[in-house]
Amino acid sequence: MKTIVHIVGARPNFMKAAPVWKEIQNLSKLRQILIHTGQHYDNYMSDIFFKELDLPEPDFNLGIGSNTHARQTASIMVKLEELLININPDLVIVYGDINSTMASAIVCSKISIPFAHVEAGLRSFDRRMPEEINRIITDQLADLLFTPSKDADMNLLKEGIDIDNIHFVGNVMIDTLIKLNPIARSPKKFNNLMDYILVTLHRPSNVDDIANLRSILDNLLEISKSSPIIFPIHPRTKKVLSDNNIIFNTNENFQLIEPLGYLDFLGLMKNAKAVITDSGGIQEETTWLGIPCFTIRENTERPITVLIGTNQLIGLDYGKIPLVIKNSSKISNRKIPDLWDGRASYRIAEIISSFLAD
Ligand code: UD1
């Protein structure tokens, strides 16, 4: 029996891996093994997603944790190399653009294990972003490249990737959203809150510099005078606040809360008036939901979300945020990108079974 290894490491990987795992299980008689690098380790950054998304417990957890880029990447590589040599899989699947993705890609290619990259081809063209480096390296080495949108195919072709290895399959994150949307509810304590804005922030460019973070928070406070804000805070952002002894008093109109699980967050997102974020995945989820999204970044690797019209890049001029929000309006004609239809992981499973049958 052939063996597939899935490697996940951090929060945005889990909702991508879950539907692919399920479809491969439904379609074929392949043995599947799940490795968690442990890049994210808190319950609310990791364990809760396994339960909600119905992902099996990882067979192996490398327990890597947080560190500098080089140390984190290197620790994953050292442990993973030994483990993959022992398992000797027929194919490895990696997801997204985190350090665990790139570390796994390098290990697989050096020990000649074929691997597939789910969410290949996205480019922000901004090499100051750690994720951009992870994307470029992973795609250069991958044997199968599964793309979520046609712009990603074009990026890969320009980088010299063989067209036969590129498969436009759609967006696996949307597979999970479509499946769980009907049961996602806002947490009870927010049931009576209307017209609120949901905020997430964790990009180093926005949160690692305390002056930037302060300026964003001041502008959010300004917005909260007219629209309530719910802000589940990422541990990275929380750490910067606590390292700088900043205690943020939350009130009815500005609720700084712990990170949420998938279902609570989706429940809040689909009922929000708007979302302010610097996340990649949330730009896509709001596109499918038809919720206005304001992205605090200068660029995006997901240009289709801007093209469709739900996502607006507001750059790093934080003072502009209140005015942009004030002038925003509802999305009137919800459009959905090609193949964001809940079947992307099914297409991946089919391509993988024929790849392994060859
Ligand atoms: C990582 C990914 C980023 C992704 C994000 C989603 C990289 C380079 N970055 O960023 O692409 O969008 O995950 O969340 O791979 N921490 C905890 N508990 C945890 C995990 C982290 O407290 O479970 C804290 C630690 O203080 C750590 C910091 O968060 O130093 C940053 O974690 P790290 O995994 O390095 O990067 P993220 O910012 O989470």
Side-chain angles (χ1 to χ4, degrees):
M1 185 187 283
K2 295 212 166 157
T3 302
I4 293 186
V5 165
H6 301 248
I7 303 177
V8 293
R11 188 169 62 176
N13 279 172
F14 308 136
M15 49 293 255
K16 295 168 193 163
V20 178
W21 176 283
K22 258 279 154 3
E23 290 296 351
I24 292 177
Q25 192 178 45
N26 291 344
L27 200 80
S28 61
K29 294 204 162 41
L30 299 162
R31 181 165 78 118
Q32 300 198 83
I33 293 178
L34 185 59
I35 299 179
H36 189 337
T37 65
Q39 179 173 341
H40 281 176
Y41 42 88
D42 286 340
N43 170 45
Y44 54 78
M45 296 297 285
S46 178
D47 303 4
I48 185 169
F49 291 89
F50 282 75
K51 293 186 197 104
E52 291 187 338
L53 302 171
D54 200 20
L55 255 178
E57 288 277 302
D59 298 281
F60 301 93
N61 190 321
L62 307 183
I64 294 304
S66 308
N67 218 320
T68 63
H69 285 275
R71 285 177 193 274
Q72 189 176 60
T73 308
S75 316
I76 297 169
M77 288 176 64
V78 171
K79 290 199 173 175
L80 192 62
E81 182 184 55
E82 193 180 340
L83 186 55
L84 285 182
I85 288 172
N86 280 334
I87 300 172
N88 190 25
D90 299 279
L91 182 75
V92 168
I93 309 179
V94 302
Y95 298 86
D97 56 13
I98 63 169
N99 285 349
S100 302
T101 314
M102 181 192 67
S104 311
I106 297 174
V107 170
C108 289
S109 7
K110 294 271 181 173
I111 57 175
S112 298
I113 293 175
F115 81 91
H117 184 205
V118 174
E119 201 186 81
L122 298 183
R123 296 290 180 272
S124 65
F125 303 101
D126 179 357
R127 291 196 179 189
R128 293 168 302 176
M129 275 183 91
E131 292 81 3
E132 184 74 353
I133 309 299
N134 296 341
R135 293 179 200 118
I136 294 169
I137 293 177
T138 305
D139 286 339
Q140 276 300 321
L141 302 176
D143 299 273
L144 286 172
L145 299 100
F146 295 118
T147 63
S149 46
K150 275 283 176 195
D151 54 282
D153 292 41
M154 297 312 294
N155 293 335
L156 294 172
L157 290 172
K158 278 187 209 145
E159 288 174 17
I161 306 294
D162 186 340
I163 197 166
D164 293 341
N165 298 341
I166 303 172
H167 303 274
F168 171 44
V169 290
N171 191 324
V172 291
M173 206 172 191
I174 300 300
D175 292 3
T176 295
L177 189 150
I178 289 174
K179 181 173 167 207
L180 295 180
N181 192 27
I183 58 161
R185 302 268 178 279
S186 308
K188 273 208 180 71
K189 69 172 181 168
F190 298 119
N191 274 355
N192 296 324
L193 205 61
M194 304 292 287
D195 283 340
Y196 59 84
I197 294 173
L198 184 62
V199 176
T200 79
L201 286 174
H202 74 282
R203 291 276 157 222
S205 52
N206 286 325
V207 306
D208 282 4
D209 178 332
I210 187 64
N212 285 352
L213 183 53
R214 248 184 221 280
S215 168
I216 297 177
L217 290 172
D218 286 345
N219 284 294
L220 292 176
L221 272 174
E222 184 59 35
I223 295 171
S224 73
K225 291 178 190 159
S226 44
S227 300
I229 289 209
I230 305 174
F231 182 1
I233 191 161
H234 188 281
R236 178 182 204 107
T237 313
K238 191 175 183 180
K239 186 168 181 298
V240 177
L241 289 180
S242 78
D243 286 353
N244 288 279
N245 298 318
I246 296 178
I247 298 162
F248 217 82
N249 287 325
T250 64
N251 57 53
E252 181 78 342
N253 262 3
F254 193 108
Q255 310 225 20
L256 205 58
I257 58 172
E258 291 297 320
L260 298 166
Y262 185 82
L263 293 172
D264 281 349
F265 189 80
L266 176 54
L268 278 177
M269 187 162 45
K270 69 180 180 183
N271 293 312
K273 175 179 154 194
V275 174
I276 299 176
T277 190
D278 57 11
S279 147
I282 292 172
Q283 295 171 51
E284 297 179 336
E285 290 167 337
T286 46
T287 289
W288 193 89
L289 292 166
I291 304 286
C293 177
F294 299 92
T295 301
I296 311 187
R297 285 177 47 189
E298 290 172 307
N299 48 54
T300 178
E301 60 289 337
R302 287 147 162 110
I304 193 158
T305 59
V306 176
L307 206 71
I308 289 272
T310 47
N311 185 20
Q312 189 178 331
L313 294 179
I314 50 181
L316 304 183
D317 181 359
Y318 306 131
K320 274 183 12 196
I321 306 172
L323 191 65
V324 172
I325 294 292
K326 198 168 158 225
N327 293 336
S328 70
S329 51
K330 281 197 164 171
I331 306 291
S332 49
N333 59 337
R334 174 174 169 255
K335 283 185 271 168
I336 293 175
D338 255 9
L339 303 191
W340 291 24
D341 58 357
R343 306 269 295 158
S345 28
Y346 174 77
R347 294 179 198 106
I348 289 177
E350 284 210 309
I351 295 165
I352 283 180
S353 8
S354 67
F355 176 84
L356 289 177
D358 288 346

